[in-house]
Amino acid sequence: MHLEVIVLAAGQGTRMKSRIPKVLHTVAGQPMLTRVFETVRALKPERTHVVISENGDRFQSIFSELDVNWVHQSEQLGTGHAVLQALPDLDSEAQALVVYGDCPLVKPSTLKRCAVEGQDGVGLISAVVPEPYGLGRIIRNPSGNVEAIIEQTDISPEQCEIKEINSGILSAPVGFLREHLPRLTDNNAQGEIYLTDLVAEAVSNGVQVNAIQAIDYQEVLGVNDRLQLAQVERVFQQRQAENLMKQGVSIADPSRFDCRGTVKTGIDCTMDINVILEGDIELGDNVRIGSNCILRNVQIASDTIIKENTVIEEAKIGRACSIGPFARIRPGTTLDDKVGIGNFVEVKNSQLASGVKAAHLAYLGDAEIGTDTNIGAGAITCNYDGKNKHRTTIGDNVFIGSNTSLIAPITIESGSAVAAGSSITRNVNADELVIERADQRIVKGGGTRFRRR
Ligand code: UD1
Ligand code: CA
């Protein structure tokens, strides 16, 4: 089959009440139009034509990598009018498949069925939905054949009861569309040229209309307002959660799981509630992620535990680490195996070798830290002098006492120890102990005087 797809994506979508074109609102972090393109691509059409509004620069820049034919519709005069704008660009021998840019949940198999059904007439996808209000209704005659589609604004009270609706997905040979589409009028409540009127036009010309019902009505959910956008988002997320569960990941509550990217996982990973995964995520086996964690472009090796309320971005984490709760791992960080990062520890652009522990309240920025080194509570790398960033290098088996300031650039060699409360400005050699604090003064009876003051 020589298939060409027309994606209708023009107009702002008045009910969205937005300055952003409707189809650029996101589903799982990507414009819903991207989701439609992903589905269309699976059909391997000869060409894809996308109807957008006149000022389409925004689309061309977002989708600059995409090999599609952009068609401009200067005024949004209806879905039939939109298809008419694209028609001159289609091969006259092609089978056309029309999909709406505001229906991002449809599956490739459903589109394929529609294209096949439309080869000798008109094929369309319908669905029986619990809430048909606002949608075009499928009108069938007593023998069950489709006769017309009536839009909500043009409907009679009896037709209002019909629960079989039009998805908007339609397929017909290009030759048929070229002959019949120009005959449609805007003689309806909205004064638009409806693509849906093509059905009655086909029937009155003795052309067969095959309406096949979507197996799952959620596939044809469209987005006209922000409420529907949120509903579509949930369905999409539910599907992603199901996919992960099928791959051996336990998700505590699939309705409180969000993935806005791609995930590769091993088996026996677990995710507690409210985990958000963004960008490219790779997990080994048996990675446990606590509630309220956010992971963005992260690789985590097997047997690592990420405790609740931890945020990790652009980082690579080794095996059997323990991170959090309330930890923040920022871009450019690599943690080797068995690293322990505790609460209120921030690590940025640093490389921590295996066995490093920073259990409480620390800032490690632009640092390289050797094997089994211990970082005390409240220790920080002073990496910024107000102008430039500097590196801190710490060797293996170093003890950094609590509340120390390591003023970079600085090197603390292996086996050394830094006493608590020190501000270190000069390099520390291997095996040295440095204590940098004022001597403790004792005033006998001073406590009493202090209280009486
Ligand atoms: C449309 C169908 C309705 C169906 C519903 C399914 C028509 C007349 N009605 O109604 O039968 O039940 O979808 O969701 O087709 N668009 C253009 N140019 C235009 C008008 C629309 O490109 O001039 C695009 C929009 O960007 C949108 C799509 O076509 O992606 C559908 O338009 P919309 O106005 O949302 O139609 P509905 O009222 O939802
Ligand atoms: Ca719509």
Side-chain angles (χ1 to χ4, degrees):
M1 187 193 299
H2 178 110
L3 184 68
E4 296 196 31
V5 175
I6 305 173
V7 181
L8 302 191
Q12 206 66 16
T14 32
R15 285 168 279 178
M16 294 297 284
K17 299 209 168 56
S18 174
R19 290 194 181 87
I20 305 165
K22 175 166 72 174
V23 297
L24 295 185
H25 281 263
T26 58
V27 172
Q30 292 291 327
M32 63 177 113
L33 190 56
T34 304
R35 302 296 175 201
V36 174
F37 287 148
E38 283 165 358
T39 312
V40 166
R41 196 176 305 133
L43 297 183
K44 299 193 170 71
E46 301 287 329
R47 282 182 91 195
T48 301
H49 311 264
V50 190
V51 182
I52 54 174
S53 311
E54 197 93 284
N55 52 353
D57 310 359
R58 195 162 177 172
F59 284 83
Q60 265 122 322
S61 62
I62 295 175
F63 300 104
S64 59
E65 310 278 278
L66 225 64
D67 180 25
V68 298
N69 174 34
W70 298 100
V71 178
H72 296 280
Q73 184 192 26
S74 49
E75 269 183 288
Q76 278 62 69
L77 302 177
T79 47
H81 180 262
V83 174
L84 272 172
Q85 309 312 299
L87 267 192
D89 294 350
L90 273 74
D91 187 311
S92 46
E93 299 304 311
Q95 177 72 18
L97 173 69
V98 181
V99 300
Y100 290 176
D102 66 352
C103 293
L105 295 175
V106 65
K107 291 180 182 164
S109 54
T110 305
L111 291 185
K112 188 151 239 164
R113 280 171 75 205
C114 184
V116 169
E117 291 296 327
Q119 276 174 303
D120 44 87
V122 177
L124 61 91
I125 303 292
S126 72
V128 176
V129 300
E131 305 283 353
Y133 184 85
L135 295 161
R137 309 296 208 286
I138 307 286
I139 311 296
R140 292 182 185 263
N141 66 17
S143 35
N145 296 322
V146 176
E147 285 198 318
I149 296 173
I150 306 289
E151 292 303 306
Q152 182 71 42
T153 42
D154 306 292
I155 213 165
S156 71
E158 306 85 68
Q159 289 167 337
C160 225
E161 300 301 310
I162 297 171
K163 289 202 155 50
E164 187 183 11
I165 61 95
N166 170 38
S167 70
I169 301 155
L170 179 146
S171 181
V174 170
F176 172 85
L177 293 177
R178 286 206 176 132
E179 187 183 346
H180 293 275
L181 257 189
R183 296 187 191 164
L184 306 184
T185 67
D186 61 0
N187 190 9
N188 52 55
Q190 297 186 72
E192 288 186 356
I193 299 173
Y194 292 159
L195 178 63
T196 46
D197 282 347
L198 194 70
V199 170
E201 166 73 15
V203 171
S204 68
N205 286 278
V207 174
Q208 198 176 330
V209 177
N210 301 319
I212 43 167
Q213 290 187 356
I215 297 160
D216 172 8
Y217 82 85
Q218 289 188 320
E219 259 193 72
V220 306
L221 291 178
V223 175
N224 295 319
D225 56 32
R226 291 177 196 254
L227 191 85
Q228 290 169 334
L229 180 64
Q231 286 163 345
V232 161
E233 175 78 23
R234 268 308 108 212
V235 175
F236 197 90
Q237 293 299 349
Q238 179 76 30
R239 282 186 190 172
Q240 296 191 126
E242 281 170 19
N243 271 338
L244 284 176
M245 290 189 282
K246 281 179 192 158
Q247 289 165 41
V249 175
S250 285
I251 296 181
D253 181 355
S255 69
R256 286 180 289 175
F257 166 79
D258 285 81
C259 171
R260 303 172 190 144
T262 55
V263 188
K264 281 193 211 148
T265 68
I267 54 167
D268 291 324
C269 294
T270 61
M271 294 185 201
D272 210 330
I273 58 165
N274 296 334
V275 168
I276 301 179
L277 305 178
E278 292 190 348
D280 295 323
I281 304 288
E282 275 181 49
L283 306 178
D285 292 339
N286 193 35
V287 174
R288 283 158 295 158
I289 303 175
S291 56
N292 307 317
C293 287
I294 302 176
L295 271 49
R296 194 171 290 131
N297 296 315
V298 174
Q299 273 172 275
I300 303 176
S302 299
D303 302 318
T304 281
I305 176 162
I306 312 293
K307 293 179 183 163
E308 45 279 6
N309 300 297
T310 290
V311 179
I312 308 179
E313 277 178 273
E314 327 261 332
K316 200 172 163 213
I317 294 176
R319 294 173 68 99
C321 293
S322 172
I323 318 290
F326 295 99
R328 178 161 185 223
I329 311 292
R330 291 174 50 200
T333 297
T334 37
L335 307 184
D336 221 324
D337 299 344
K338 296 183 183 158
V339 168
I341 300 290
N343 45 202
F344 309 111
V345 174
E346 176 179 343
V347 186
K348 185 215 81 171
N349 190 31
S350 294
Q351 289 71 50
L352 274 55
S354 67
V356 170
K357 302 273 181 294
H360 341 258
L361 298 148
Y363 172 61
L364 304 170
D366 303 308
E368 192 179 321
I369 304 178
T371 312
D372 292 331
T373 284
N374 187 82
I375 309 288
I380 64 166
T381 54
C382 305
N383 60 331
Y384 186 52
D385 60 11
K387 237 181 182 174
N388 297 304
K389 298 281 168 66
H390 302 282
R391 286 197 71 82
T392 298
T393 307
I394 304 175
D396 301 339
N397 278 302
V398 173
F399 178 87
I400 304 287
S402 293
N403 247 10
T404 54
S405 305
L406 305 174
I407 298 166
I410 197 154
T411 300
I412 316 286
E413 289 183 3
S414 294
S416 61
V418 176
S422 301
S423 287
I424 304 300
T425 51
R426 278 174 284 137
N427 291 349
V428 177
N429 298 320
D431 222 27
E432 285 177 349
L433 164 67
V434 286
I435 309 168
E436 193 284 324
R437 24 166 127 114
D439 261 356
Q440 191 163 309
R441 277 209 310 139
I442 297 173
V443 181
K444 294 256 190 256
T448 313
R449 268 182 278 147
F450 175 79
R451 278 191 302 280
R452 279 203 197 125
R453 153 192 69 133

